[in-house]
Amino acid sequence: MNRQETPAPAAFLGEKSASVPAHAQDVPGAVTPAPALLGRTLRALEAPLLLAVPAVMAAALLTNASSAAGFMLLVVALVIVLFFAGYESSRPALRQIMPTLVLAALAAAGRLLFGPIPDFKPVSAIAIIAGATLGPRNGFMVGALAAFTSNFFLGQGMWTPWQMYAWGVVGYLGGALAQAGVFTRRDGDVRFWALMACGLGSGLVYGAVINAYDIIGFVRPLTLPGALARLAAALPFDLTHALATCIFLAALYAPWVRRIERLVRKFNLRG
């Protein structure tokens, strides 16, 4: 990612930009640099941006527009670009970026490794773990980056932005639920059944996004029997995805979270 050039030690250690005095960033009433203001604005708009996609889907469904597929694709691509821009505008240090990139690479590698088994992938589970340990926005980044990079091997297409959005939303929601204390008790033990419910739900959320785009954009004429037929055809794959996410969460969540949380506390990595 392109970041404003600073002396190498400061960039590596994650210190504040030398272009603005450090005290000026913390003093009330000080002028906020434009990039920082943009980053704060985009970060505040994260949830509305993510909600804009289902809102546009609902509008396309109600209007039954012939160009719904192209319009929805444009909107989801814009949402992803703005989300990435918000992440970049926050100017994360290298030590903050690396865990996100590593988890995204592991998720992409896992998707390729389990490629022969349709929809049996660890991407959702790893995105949820990233959101739980690094924060919701990093959960989104892991899911989106895993979809984008793995598609260089599996094939890029108009489905790529939708996969990026769907897996990003899974990571974001997983992070939000973890922050709310849904996955862990006060003593730190994992609420296993809550975690499994999240795994099951994440598979269905991913399927709902992909299926809705497919049905609203390409089922013509759009009728209830036609939509139900598409959903019935996709249901086995969605259930496989949900089951796989539960299995990977059961195997990976507790050990990975313990190790990542140590790094988060040591280096203050939560985003």
Side-chain angles (χ1 to χ4, degrees):
M1 294 183 181
N2 296 324
R3 297 194 298 277
Q4 179 180 349
E5 293 208 9
T6 56
F12 181 78
L13 295 175
E15 296 176 1
K16 293 178 180 178
S17 172
S19 61
V20 179
H23 65 274
Q25 298 179 341
D26 300 323
V27 175
V31 177
T32 303
L37 180 60
L38 175 63
R40 291 178 185 177
T41 302
L42 289 175
R43 183 163 186 169
L45 292 175
E46 283 177 358
L49 281 174
L50 297 181
L51 291 173
V53 175
V56 169
M57 283 182 164
L61 178 62
L62 292 174
T63 59
N64 198 18
S66 59
S67 60
F71 181 66
M72 290 189 299
L73 180 62
L74 178 63
V75 170
V76 77
L78 179 61
V79 166
I80 292 171
V81 168
L82 291 175
F83 202 101
F84 273 58
Y87 187 85
E88 171 67 13
S89 297
S90 67
R91 298 191 180 278
L94 179 61
R95 61 184 171 83
Q96 294 173 310
I97 295 174
M98 285 306 297
T100 301
L101 295 180
V102 169
L103 288 173
L106 289 172
R111 187 184 180 200
L112 298 176
L113 180 64
F114 288 91
I117 309 175
D119 284 274
F120 193 90
K121 307 292 185 291
V123 181
S124 292
I126 296 176
I128 291 169
I129 291 171
T133 53
L134 302 174
R137 67 199 316 239
N138 285 287
F140 182 95
M141 295 297 292
V142 167
L145 288 173
F148 181 69
T149 54
S150 58
N151 276 0
F152 280 106
F153 300 91
L154 299 175
Q156 301 283 3
M158 63 188 303
W159 53 85
T160 298
W162 288 101
Q163 292 174 331
M164 293 175 67
Y165 172 80
W167 265 317
V169 166
V170 166
Y172 193 93
L173 291 177
L177 290 173
Q179 284 186 347
V182 173
F183 298 153
T184 55
R185 301 185 179 89
R186 291 184 178 180
D187 59 5
D189 289 341
V190 176
R191 291 191 174 100
F192 181 78
W193 293 113
L195 189 64
M196 293 300 99
C198 176
L200 180 64
S202 68
L204 299 180
V205 166
Y206 178 91
V209 172
I210 302 299
N211 294 335
Y213 172 65
D214 180 44
I215 292 171
I216 298 171
F218 300 103
V219 173
R220 290 292 181 272
L222 181 54
T223 62
L224 181 59
L228 292 177
R230 284 290 181 96
L231 288 175
L235 184 60
F237 299 98
D238 295 338
L239 292 178
T240 300
H241 185 184
L243 177 62
T245 303
C246 291
I247 292 173
F248 283 113
L249 282 175
L252 302 178
Y253 187 86
W256 282 31
V257 165
R258 282 198 301 269
R259 288 166 174 80
I260 297 172
E261 284 287 0
R262 291 194 193 105
L263 296 175
V264 169
R265 289 192 297 269
K266 184 175 181 180
F267 299 107
N268 190 25
L269 301 179
R270 190 177 299 277

